[in-house]
Protein backbone atom coordinates (compact mmCIF):
# COMPACT_ATOMS: atom_id res chain seq x y z
CA UNK A 1 0.00 0.00 0.00
CA UNK A 2 2.78 2.46 0.85
CA UNK A 3 6.48 2.95 0.28
CA UNK A 4 8.57 4.78 2.87
CA UNK A 5 10.54 7.77 1.59
CA UNK A 6 13.60 8.18 3.77
CA UNK A 7 15.11 11.64 4.04
CA UNK A 8 17.67 11.63 6.81
CA UNK A 9 15.81 10.49 9.92
CA UNK A 10 12.39 11.34 8.45
CA UNK A 11 9.99 8.88 6.86
CA UNK A 12 7.06 9.95 4.70
CA UNK A 13 4.87 7.13 3.40
CA UNK A 14 4.11 7.24 -0.33
CA UNK A 15 1.08 5.29 -1.54
CA UNK A 16 1.26 2.97 -4.54
CA UNK A 17 -0.23 4.57 -7.64
CA UNK A 18 -2.90 1.92 -8.12
CA UNK A 19 -4.05 2.04 -4.48
CA UNK A 20 -7.15 4.06 -5.45
CA UNK A 21 -9.23 4.44 -8.58
CA UNK A 22 -8.66 7.21 -11.11
CA UNK A 23 -12.04 8.73 -10.17
CA UNK A 24 -11.15 8.79 -6.47
CA UNK A 25 -7.76 10.35 -7.26
CA UNK A 26 -9.43 13.04 -9.40
CA UNK A 27 -11.83 13.83 -6.54
CA UNK A 28 -8.95 14.11 -4.07
CA UNK A 29 -6.99 16.37 -6.43
CA UNK A 30 -10.03 18.60 -6.87
CA UNK A 31 -10.36 18.88 -3.10
CA UNK A 32 -6.65 19.77 -2.88
CA UNK A 33 -7.08 22.39 -5.63
CA UNK A 34 -9.99 24.01 -3.73
CA UNK A 35 -7.89 24.03 -0.56
CA UNK A 36 -5.04 25.74 -2.42
CA UNK A 37 -7.44 28.38 -3.76
CA UNK A 38 -8.71 29.05 -0.21
CA UNK A 39 -5.14 29.47 0.99
CA UNK A 40 -4.25 31.91 -1.78
CA UNK A 41 -7.49 33.89 -1.42
CA UNK A 42 -7.11 34.23 2.36
CA UNK A 43 -4.49 36.98 2.17
CA UNK A 44 -2.65 35.26 5.02
CA UNK A 45 1.00 34.24 4.69
CA UNK A 46 0.75 30.79 3.01
CA UNK A 47 3.12 29.15 5.52
CA UNK A 48 1.11 30.47 8.47
CA UNK A 49 -2.17 29.43 6.84
CA UNK A 50 -0.79 25.95 6.06
CA UNK A 51 0.54 25.48 9.59
CA UNK A 52 -2.90 26.28 11.01
CA UNK A 53 -4.55 23.90 8.53
CA UNK A 54 -2.16 21.08 9.49
CA UNK A 55 -2.80 21.71 13.19
CA UNK A 56 -6.54 21.33 12.62
CA UNK A 57 -6.30 18.14 10.56
CA UNK A 58 -6.21 14.53 11.71
CA UNK A 59 -4.82 13.47 8.34
CA UNK A 60 -2.90 15.41 5.68
CA UNK A 61 -2.14 14.05 2.22
CA UNK A 62 0.25 15.58 -0.30
CA UNK A 63 0.04 15.20 -4.09
CA UNK A 64 2.69 15.97 -6.71
CA UNK A 65 3.40 15.12 -10.34
CA UNK A 66 6.12 12.72 -11.40
CA UNK A 67 7.17 11.15 -14.71
CA UNK A 68 4.35 8.59 -14.70
CA UNK A 69 1.43 10.46 -13.14
CA UNK A 70 0.54 11.71 -9.68
CA UNK A 71 2.19 10.57 -6.46
CA UNK A 72 0.42 10.83 -3.10
CA UNK A 73 1.67 10.44 0.44
CA UNK A 74 0.43 10.72 3.98
CA UNK A 75 2.05 13.77 5.57
CA UNK A 76 0.20 13.63 8.89
CA UNK A 77 -1.86 10.94 10.60
CA UNK A 78 0.19 7.81 10.05
CA UNK A 79 -0.10 6.73 13.71
CA UNK A 80 -3.86 7.33 13.69
CA UNK A 81 -4.11 5.26 10.52
CA UNK A 82 -2.28 2.41 12.26
CA UNK A 83 -4.67 2.65 15.23
CA UNK A 84 -7.66 2.44 12.92
CA UNK A 85 -6.21 -0.65 11.22
CA UNK A 86 -5.77 -2.17 14.70
CA UNK A 87 -9.47 -1.64 15.40
CA UNK A 88 -9.67 1.72 17.16
CA UNK A 89 -13.06 3.21 16.47
CA UNK A 90 -13.00 6.80 15.25
CA UNK A 91 -16.18 8.70 14.43
CA UNK A 92 -15.05 11.49 12.12
CA UNK A 93 -11.79 12.66 10.57
CA UNK A 94 -10.57 16.08 9.51
CA UNK A 95 -8.71 15.50 6.26
CA UNK A 96 -6.40 18.00 4.58
CA UNK A 97 -5.32 17.55 0.95
CA UNK A 98 -2.38 19.61 -0.33
CA UNK A 99 -1.03 20.09 -3.86
CA UNK A 100 2.77 20.02 -3.96
CA UNK A 101 5.15 20.95 -6.77
CA UNK A 102 7.35 17.90 -6.13
CA UNK A 103 8.15 15.19 -3.60
CA UNK A 104 10.67 17.41 -1.78
CA UNK A 105 7.94 19.94 -1.03
CA UNK A 106 5.69 17.20 0.40
CA UNK A 107 8.60 15.95 2.52
CA UNK A 108 9.23 19.48 3.80
CA UNK A 109 5.57 19.84 4.83
CA UNK A 110 5.74 16.51 6.65
CA UNK A 111 8.88 17.69 8.46
CA UNK A 112 7.48 21.12 9.35
CA UNK A 113 3.88 20.34 10.25
CA UNK A 114 3.27 16.60 9.85
CA UNK A 115 4.36 13.28 11.29
CA UNK A 116 8.05 13.93 10.65
CA UNK A 117 8.29 16.96 12.96
CA UNK A 118 11.14 16.63 15.45
CA UNK A 119 9.85 15.20 18.71
CA UNK A 120 9.79 17.59 21.66
CA UNK A 121 12.55 16.91 24.19
Amino acid sequence: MVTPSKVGEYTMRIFKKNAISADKLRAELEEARRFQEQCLASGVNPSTWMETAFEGADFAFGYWPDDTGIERAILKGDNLLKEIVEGKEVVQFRVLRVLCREQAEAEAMSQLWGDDRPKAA
Side-chain angles (χ1 to χ4, degrees), residues 25-45:
L25 179 59
R26 273 192 291 278
E28 289 182 5
L29 290 171
E30 178 59 24
E31 188 177 336
R33 184 193 61 75
R34 286 192 309 268
F35 172 77
Q36 184 178 43
E37 286 178 354
Q38 291 172 359
C39 176
L40 295 173
S42 72
V44 175
N45 176 297

Side-chain angles (χ1 to χ4, degrees), residues 97-113:
R97 301 192 189 280
V98 182
L99 295 176
C100 305
R101 291 178 292 249
E102 59 189 6
Q103 181 175 337
E105 184 176 31
E107 290 168 347
M109 288 180 186
S110 183
Q111 292 168 18
L112 284 171
W113 307 304

Side-chain angles (χ1 to χ4, degrees), residues 14 22 24 28 31 45-46 66 74 81 94 109 116:
I14 301 173
K24 174 73 173 146
E28 289 182 5
E31 188 177 336
N45 176 297
D66 75 352
I74 187 164
L81 185 61
R94 294 166 296 178
M109 288 180 186
D116 290 323

Side-chain angles (χ1 to χ4, degrees), residues 31-71:
E31 188 177 336
R33 184 193 61 75
R34 286 192 309 268
F35 172 77
Q36 184 178 43
E37 286 178 354
Q38 291 172 359
C39 176
L40 295 173
S42 72
V44 175
N45 176 297
S47 292
T48 302
W49 200 89
M50 192 70 70
E51 181 179 15
T52 301
F54 265 78
E55 287 173 357
D58 298 307
F59 292 102
F61 295 91
Y63 304 83
W64 65 92
D66 75 352
D67 295 340
T68 61
I70 299 293
E71 291 279 4

